Amino acid sequence: MNILISAYQTILYQPLFNALVFLYQYLPGRDFGMAVIVLTALIRILFYPLMIKSIKSQKVLSELQPKIQEIQQKYKNDKEKQAKATMELYQKEKINPFGGCLPLLIQLPILIALYQVFWRGLQPEQLSQLYSFVPNPGAIHPLFLGIMNLAQPSLILAVLAGISQFFQTKMVTPKTPKVKKDQGQMAQFSGMMQKQMLYFFPIFTVLILLRLPAAIGLYWIVTTLFSILQQYLVFAKRTPADIMQKHA
Amino acid sequence: MMKKFIIQVIKLYKIFISPILGKNCRFYPSCSDYMSLVIKKYGLLKGFQKGIWRILRCNSFNKGGIDLP
């Protein structure tokens, strides 16, 4: 267990912490908030190649849209059958729009380390973890845009994070036709659950962020915006007219 | 006992965490459903191994598709 923790420290935490201090030192304006934004964006861009394959299959996917809609209509009361039939169609057409669970799981420890860097990185004793080639700033002034103290919780950033979380969750929640009374309890329950989640997550996000340093809130906003962009690129619904325009 | 607990944890993951992460799985049933199914079918130890193997296979180099336990 100890080996795991020290490996996590050396491989994940320390490099990210050093990158943050490095950015803080060298970005114009010496703004800690900008360093947080740039580091978050860099990490998300690093993960981007994992998504490229799925973005490429998007073209085929948009051509299959009518067939997919047909399946959705046919099994609109049975999510299980719908998922299975859709997967059968992908298999037949030899495409797969999803990146896979493994790439996702590999990303998680990195994102957790990043999160910790923004949380703990502001403590002065952390500066002993700097590499020899990263100049010691002496102290980090945790300001964003010169006014917002990122070491304290911030209501504005928490609410903004909640709003972006809402849109992200809304994007991944499938549009379900109104559940009718005769559709069985299970379908009704899962439909209700999904609806509640849509509102529950953002509120939960705001409540948690109100207790954490605002640096985490800023990180949350940037990373959620990136997810929205990626989801848009992969799953953007394109009507046949759009495709015609694209290829014209 | 332990078996039921793990399956419950997977259920909680599906309700609370999975929606944040979006849909990623290349297979039907999804890796988390598969994990529950194999633990039910083969017991905790062997089922868990099979579930982990499934997650390892769930990457861009695998065709994905329908893969029942």
Side-chain angles (χ1 to χ4, degrees):
Chain A
M1 197 63 199
N2 271 329
I3 298 176
L4 271 180
I5 292 172
S6 69
Y8 167 80
Q9 276 284 335
T10 351
I11 301 172
L12 293 173
Y13 181 82
Q14 227 185 338
L16 288 170
F17 174 69
N18 276 274
L20 180 69
V21 176
F22 186 87
L23 286 171
Y24 173 69
Q25 290 270 57
Y26 288 107
L27 280 180
R30 268 197 155 211
D31 188 306
F32 183 69
M34 284 317 278
V36 169
I37 292 174
V38 171
L39 184 58
T40 309
L42 282 176
I43 297 294
R44 293 301 302 230
I45 290 167
L46 209 69
F47 287 147
Y48 200 69
L50 294 175
M51 301 281 297
I52 281 182
K53 234 186 163 150
S54 25
I55 291 168
K56 277 184 183 155
S57 64
Q58 173 62 34
K59 207 183 133 202
V60 190
L61 201 63
S62 53
E63 282 153 17
L64 285 180
Q65 234 3 276
K67 280 186 185 167
I68 293 169
Q69 271 161 9
E70 202 178 294
I71 290 170
Q72 281 169 351
Q73 271 302 313
K74 200 171 161 192
Y75 300 112
K76 62 182 170 190
N77 301 337
D78 191 341
K79 280 261 132 51
E80 283 289 298
K81 273 190 181 142
Q82 198 184 87
K84 191 173 178 208
T86 315
M87 198 51 94
E88 263 163 8
L89 176 69
Y90 291 157
Q91 214 168 9
K92 209 177 87 196
E93 302 288 336
K94 295 195 174 65
I95 59 154
N96 200 320
F98 302 109
C101 301
L102 184 66
L104 186 80
L105 283 182
I106 292 172
Q107 290 178 43
L108 285 180
I110 302 175
L111 294 179
I112 290 168
L114 193 63
Y115 185 86
Q116 279 204 311
V117 165
F118 295 146
W119 195 342
R120 287 197 282 153
L122 284 166
Q123 295 159 7
E125 67 269 17
Q126 292 289 317
L127 290 172
S128 63
Q129 299 225 29
L130 284 180
Y131 296 141
S132 55
F133 61 88
V134 177
N136 190 327
I140 295 178
H141 300 290
L143 290 184
F144 179 41
L145 302 174
I147 40 166
M148 197 178 270
N149 186 348
L150 292 181
Q152 303 290 326
S154 150
L155 178 66
I156 301 172
L157 288 182
V159 170
L160 281 177
I163 293 172
S164 40
Q165 180 77 61
F166 173 79
F167 284 109
Q168 198 229 326
T169 318
K170 201 177 161 85
M171 268 180 110
V172 293
T173 314
K175 282 200 186 89
T176 37
K178 279 210 175 100
V179 182
K180 288 178 203 127
K181 273 194 187 139
D182 54 313
Q183 272 181 7
Q185 276 193 320
M186 206 51 214
Q188 274 189 46
F189 179 73
S190 76
M192 212 171 69
M193 205 68 199
Q194 255 172 2
K195 250 212 178 110
Q196 283 182 354
M197 281 300 118
L198 182 60
Y199 298 99
F200 175 75
F201 275 126
I203 293 169
F204 193 60
T205 303
V206 175
L207 290 179
I208 286 187
L209 288 178
L210 279 177
R211 293 163 184 277
L212 296 179
I216 304 284
L218 194 57
Y219 156 75
W220 203 299
I221 294 170
V222 177
T223 196
T224 312
L225 289 180
F226 257 85
S227 302
I228 290 176
L229 185 71
Q230 285 184 345
Q231 270 152 21
Y232 180 76
L233 288 175
V234 179
F235 289 105
K237 279 206 179 119
R238 292 182 197 165
T239 59
D242 292 335
I243 298 162
M244 294 296 273
Q245 242 175 6
K246 268 254 158 84
H247 293 275
Chain B
M1 187 60 202
M2 192 62 189
K3 205 166 136 176
K4 274 192 180 147
F5 174 73
I6 298 285
I7 289 171
Q8 218 53 44
V9 169
I10 297 173
K11 255 189 202 154
L12 285 177
Y13 160 82
K14 283 201 66 96
I15 296 175
F16 291 103
I17 302 175
S18 177
I20 309 181
L21 301 174
K23 195 165 166 29
N24 293 283
C25 193
R26 296 174 71 80
F27 290 101
Y28 173 88
S30 70
C31 288
S32 48
D33 286 332
Y34 186 87
M35 183 67 99
S36 304
L37 289 171
V38 281
I39 287 177
K40 267 181 211 155
K41 191 170 171 185
Y42 297 99
L44 200 54
L45 202 68
K46 193 143 184 251
F48 194 71
Q49 283 171 5
K50 280 179 184 286
I52 293 290
W53 175 234
R54 164 61 118 67
I55 293 172
L56 290 177
R57 279 183 294 137
C58 190
N59 63 67
S60 329
F61 296 106
N62 192 301
K63 283 201 303 275
I66 294 187
D67 173 42
L68 292 160

